[in-house]
Amino acid sequence: MADSSRENLYEEVIEEAGEGAAASATPHTKPSPTETLNRPLITFFVMTATIMQALDSTIANVALPEMQGTLSATQDQMAWVLTSYIIAAAIMIPLTGWLAGRFGRKRVFLISIVGFTVASALCGIAATLPEIVLFRLLQGISGAALVPLSQAVLFDINPPKNHGKAMAIWGIGVTLGPVIGPALGGWLTEYYSWRWVFFINVPIGILAFAGLSATLSETESHTNRFDFFGFTTLAIAIGGLQLMLDRGELKDWFGSTEIMLEALVAGIAFYLFLVHTLTHRRPFLSPSLFADRNFVTANIFIFLIGVVLFSTLALLPPMLTNGLGYPAVTTGLVTAPQGMGTMLGMMLVGKLIGRFDARLIMTVGLSLVAFSLWRMTNFNLLMGEDSIIIAGMLQGLGIGLTYVPLSTMAFSTLAPIHRNEGTSFFNLMRNIGSAIGISVVQALLTRNTQVMHSSLATQVTPYNAGNYAYAANHIDPLTQSGISTLNGMINQQAAMIAYIDDFKLMMVITIVVIPLLIFLRPPVHLRESRT
């Protein structure tokens, strides 16, 4: 019954895509002889481009204070340096599948690399705030296609039995970039200049362009009618959501007319997109994608991984810098082991995925993530660096063990004609998950810090002031300077409690989603390799 329904699905796909795509709508695609011969080189150059783009999602964050001084901008204005990039990338990711199918994957890949590299150079020489916001916008537009297309390329140049290893390599680039970004950005900013945060992309981009020009084969393109209404409504919905999430904390969320308007626009646009997708004959996003149970379930998981992984990356640097007084370079160094854990996990899973049930590997991975978050709930202001390093390593290891089998199973039963479109949507869900996760934990952090500050401050009275003075090295809490110092200490403790509450929330989310693994089906070729 399942086989017949899958055959019907392929027939529908072939009919929708047209004769030009029919040849590729088979259960497995074979790489060309050139791609097979150049597979290691293609993998290297594809991952070079992927890491370059993934790195830029976090590398500029630590450079913002230096940029703010150089550009004479306010903190509110500097937020647009990050927001413009995120919104542009989020809007363009869904378009990647259509562009690759219409103009050819190699052409789109190379144009994206050129655009991203040129935009990076322009960001490095920007002299005013409007310039750098515009160039960051171009960076986001150009770089959006790099990650989903790199995933599609690795799927196509490798036989099904090697998809697990291919996704291990791809996952290292996607997750390692955001993890090492703050450390590299802090080092470049402190010892050189914030401009090198962008200039570093130029030689990497040139290398990736030259390598892929020589090794990557072009895919067959086919003429598909572009669904302007579907894309426009989806773009407005994503843009409105991202804008609301990025500016919500700054504008006091729904107490602001701006945030309410952005939420309303995003909601209406998404409703129109959904109705249009379900009623249009050839919508921008094919409904056939969501007929695949593995693909749908995997997107739920990648959304939640985006929430947990990127929320942790957003919480740890300010906690270490503001709460424990770490300089930017030290903060980067103690958080970098999370990337090492991710690399280790992905190297291990490349060997394990053919021997054990992929769902069992993911269960172990998610359990490690939950355990690492539990360790983070024991963080305090007097802890040593080893506590941060161990928790980060465990979380990275868990993410590595989860990411690879998830990426493999997401596309194991999906028709290859949908691979460009599927990888785009898969990465879009990861980005939306990270945006929502970061916004939620930051909002809870601000709120809980205020609540805990009020609660702790009520415990300071003239009757126990001596105890606080002793704890604060005999600072007199009855003087103005003593009150100020004591208030700072209370605020530090309140913030740490708020951070712990965020870690606890993410731990609960991770534990709750583990039972959803039963809805995933291991790929046929992995089941056969175990037997």
Side-chain angles (χ1 to χ4, degrees), residues 249 311 314-316 318-319 323 373 376-381 437-438 440-456 489-507:
E249 184 65 28
S311 296
L315 289 174
L316 284 178
M319 186 194 79
L373 290 166
M376 291 179 188
T377 61
N378 294 300
F379 280 178
N380 61 76
L381 294 173
I438 291 171
V440 169
V441 297
Q442 293 288 6
L444 290 174
L445 178 66
T446 301
R447 176 184 175 277
N448 291 341
T449 299
Q450 294 170 349
V451 171
M452 292 310 304
H453 185 280
S454 299
S455 177
L456 293 173
M489 293 174 60
I490 294 173
N491 196 58
Q492 277 187 314
Q493 293 288 351
M496 180 55 72
I497 295 172
Y499 279 116
I500 289 172
D501 287 342
D502 277 349
F503 294 138
K504 191 177 297 182
L505 172 64
M506 289 188 287
M507 179 188 70

Side-chain angles (χ1 to χ4, degrees), residues 517-528:
L517 289 171
I518 62 175
F519 294 105
L520 288 171
R521 292 175 296 174
V524 175
H525 60 275
L526 293 183
R527 292 200 300 265
E528 291 173 351

Side-chain angles (χ1 to χ4, degrees), residues 145-146 208 221 373 407:
L146 295 178
S221 59
L373 290 166
S407 301

